Amino acid sequence: MSADPATRKGPAGTVHALRLLLAAGALAGSVAAAVRLGAADVGWTGLARVLGAHLGLDVAPLAPLVDSLVWDLRLPRVLMAALVGASLAVCGTVLQAVTRNALADPYLLGVSSGASAGAVTVLVLGIGASTLGATGGALAGALLSFGLLLLLLRRTGLDSVRIVLTGVVVGQLFTALTSLVLMASADADTTRAVTHWLLGSMAPARWNTVAVCAIVTPLGLLAAWLCSNALDGLAFGTDTAASLGIGVRHTRTLLLVVTAALTAVAVATVGAIGFVGLIVPHGVRFLVGPLHRVLLPYAALAGAVFLVWTDALARVAFAPREVPVGVITALLGVPLFLLVLRKRGEL
């Protein structure tokens, strides 16, 4: 059996490496272009001067207001969009293989709903506000929801259908708790702010939150990529995976923990953003094939590029008002997903 393109030497491996470099270049170009976009126009030269000044190069700095706009607001926001987009796309790819469900996405396990409930509890009720903050509350809620999922599955096992059904039930429970807290205790202004956050927004991104994502996301992506062969087997069913020598139960548990952690960090920092983990894996799989050793890197890069440009559109389309990026991903995601289903012959 021939090696896959990710490990094959010779022309095919070289072509694969060049394609990955081109995709990475597209991401870098997207990040740079998105940083320039906004109410205040910053040219390429201005962007280079800002980056050079903060990297200690001998360049003339821009005015403090413009420098702060680019370095403290736009650049962390765009980098956060890239990290979250990559994370959600890889989570969707992994879950679609683990559950053998084409409609699986990172919020299938109820982790997003748990994170939202945790953040709302801190913001509205003030529980743990001094020690946790909204981000800490979201992480605590995500871990609680994932722990509940594992508890409910402890006897029946991690069967794909049971994972889906139990994840939906857990998600609905925490969604109901979020609504209950908002209706019972929040005033109009707080409800409006929390609702905006729940729809997903990169506006709160700062260097400290980017640093957290920059540590967690690559580790999660590496863990998923190292399980590529297991994902290939799981995509064909548990019996096939077991016949290939894959420890199905342990591998599934590991991959579910990884996707839960990545989703929790994403939701804790920017709120719930749907459809990225649903449509990006299908689109990339259509282009590069189903082998996960190849699929996962391209899914990460495609998810990053997609969310960078989606967030840029959310910032500028209705300026000076800003639309939550989750609204834009839903508006774009529905027709794109219908197109993917039609290409697959399922519509």
Side-chain angles (χ1 to χ4, degrees):
M1 185 172 61
S2 61
D4 65 73
T7 56
R8 187 186 303 152
K9 295 181 180 179
T14 303
V15 170
H16 173 72
L18 288 175
R19 287 176 177 173
L20 273 180
L21 285 175
L22 287 174
L27 174 58
S30 298
V31 168
V35 171
R36 290 188 55 209
L37 294 176
D41 185 30
V42 179
W44 292 108
T45 302
L47 176 60
R49 287 169 60 185
V50 170
L51 295 177
H54 284 274
L55 292 175
L57 302 179
D58 186 17
V59 296
L62 293 181
L65 184 61
V66 178
D67 180 89
S68 179
L69 172 68
V70 173
W71 184 258
D72 296 323
L73 295 179
R74 289 189 187 175
L75 188 56
R77 177 178 183 141
V78 173
L79 291 177
M80 180 65 79
L83 289 168
V84 170
S87 179
L88 295 180
V90 168
C91 286
T93 304
V94 169
L95 286 174
Q96 287 165 16
V98 169
T99 64
R100 299 187 68 202
N101 186 336
L103 300 179
D105 75 346
Y107 303 120
L108 177 73
L109 306 181
V111 175
S112 172
S113 300
S116 300
V120 168
T121 300
V122 171
L123 292 172
V124 177
L125 301 181
I127 298 175
S130 58
T131 55
L132 292 177
T135 300
L139 284 172
L143 293 175
L144 179 62
S145 62
F146 184 67
L148 178 59
L149 176 72
L150 293 182
L151 181 65
L152 294 173
L153 292 171
R154 73 188 188 283
R155 295 193 179 184
T156 58
L158 299 177
D159 177 79
S160 18
V161 175
R162 291 189 179 96
I163 292 173
V164 173
L165 295 177
T166 308
V168 170
V169 170
V170 171
Q172 288 299 313
L173 170 64
F174 281 94
T175 298
L177 290 175
T178 301
S179 301
L180 179 63
V181 171
L182 284 175
M183 294 296 294
S185 304
D187 56 33
D189 292 336
T190 303
T191 301
R192 189 181 304 110
V194 170
T195 301
H196 189 276
W197 179 83
L198 290 175
L199 291 173
S201 175
M202 300 295 162
R206 296 295 182 269
W207 283 113
N208 59 334
T209 53
V210 171
V212 173
C213 281
I215 294 171
V216 175
T217 301
L219 290 175
L221 302 189
L222 177 62
W225 187 77
L226 291 175
C227 295
S228 296
N229 292 335
L231 285 169
D232 290 337
L234 289 171
F236 287 99
T238 55
D239 293 338
T240 302
S243 69
L244 295 173
I246 298 169
V248 174
R249 185 179 181 85
H250 292 93
T251 303
R252 268 183 170 173
T253 302
L254 171 63
L255 290 169
L256 289 175
V257 169
V258 168
T259 55
L262 289 173
T263 305
V265 171
V267 175
T269 50
V270 300
I273 300 172
F275 282 96
V276 178
L278 184 60
I279 62 172
V280 171
H282 284 292
V284 176
R285 193 179 290 109
F286 178 77
L287 294 174
V288 304
L291 286 177
H292 285 84
R293 186 172 293 273
V294 178
L295 177 61
L296 287 170
Y298 282 109
L301 291 168
V305 171
F306 176 76
L307 199 55
V308 163
W309 283 111
T310 304
D311 179 60
L313 180 62
R315 281 191 287 128
V316 302
F318 299 96
R321 291 188 176 184
E322 180 180 319
V323 179
V325 68
V327 174
I328 302 296
T329 58
L331 290 174
L332 295 176
V334 170
L336 286 175
F337 185 62
L338 293 176
L339 179 62
V340 169
L341 289 179
R342 184 173 182 180
K343 289 287 186 181
R344 289 165 55 92
E346 298 177 9
L347 186 66

